[in-house]
Amino acid sequence: MEDCLFCKIVKGEVPSTKVYEDDEILAFKDVNPMAPVHILVVPKKHYNDITEITEENADIIKKIILAINKIAKEQGIADKGYRIINNCKEEAGQTVKHLHFHLLGGKKLGDKMC
Ligand code: AMP
Ligand code: ZN
């Protein structure tokens, strides 16, 4: 998608600090971290939000979760614990309209987002 920030990050047109990449997924550090570890995990293919996930394309979610678990191990937060957040649309606070999952950890997280 042309005017999408995360598509631009996927294409390398906007810089990011990558922590994981495969054919279908990119993970990079959140520019405004809410925890010592705050990573965004995105499908390279553009989906506006999780409502676009269907029986046909849901395999990407499985792959994202497996990538998140791998990243959590690499980041050293797998044992103590971590939080995965997906904000879907405006009332949930989604600001970037490209499906993404926040991986948060590295401290005792509160009962809000982090
Ligand atoms: P959300 O509010 O769920 O849509 O999350 C969007 C996230 O993207 C926020 O946590 C922002 O800090 C983060 N963000 C915005 N621009 C960038 C960027 N250029 N690189 C990395 N993270 C970004
Ligand atoms: Zn996009």
Side-chain angles (χ1 to χ4, degrees), residues 7-55:
C7 282
K8 286 182 181 165
I9 287 178
V10 166
K11 285 187 263 176
E13 294 169 6
V14 168
S16 70
T17 306
K18 289 180 194 179
V19 298
Y20 174 86
E21 183 168 19
D22 64 30
D23 288 352
E24 295 177 87
I25 295 164
L26 182 69
F28 50 93
K29 291 189 177 176
D30 195 295
V31 81
N32 182 27
M34 301 289 184
V37 175
H38 187 170
I39 289 163
L40 299 173
V41 186
V42 311
K44 289 186 171 177
K45 183 173 174 183
H46 181 94
Y47 300 97
N48 286 312
D49 59 59
I50 207 159
T51 66
E52 294 185 1
I53 297 301
T54 63
E55 288 283 349

Side-chain angles (χ1 to χ4, degrees), residues 37-107:
V37 175
H38 187 170
I39 289 163
L40 299 173
V41 186
V42 311
K44 289 186 171 177
K45 183 173 174 183
H46 181 94
Y47 300 97
N48 286 312
D49 59 59
I50 207 159
T51 66
E52 294 185 1
I53 297 301
T54 63
E55 288 283 349
E56 285 66 41
N57 62 24
D59 204 41
I60 187 65
I61 301 301
K62 172 180 157 184
K63 290 175 179 169
I64 286 172
I65 296 300
L66 292 173
I68 286 174
N69 286 351
K70 192 172 172 191
I71 296 162
K73 273 190 193 148
E74 285 168 4
Q75 295 287 323
I77 59 172
D79 290 340
K80 285 196 169 175
Y82 50 94
R83 184 169 292 167
I84 301 166
I85 292 178
N86 169 253
N87 294 320
C88 176
K89 299 191 193 287
E90 203 181 326
E91 288 204 357
Q94 184 181 4
T95 57
V96 179
K97 290 172 180 51
H98 178 126
L99 176 64
H100 57 278
F101 293 83
H102 298 255
L103 168 61
L104 293 148
K107 71 168 187 180

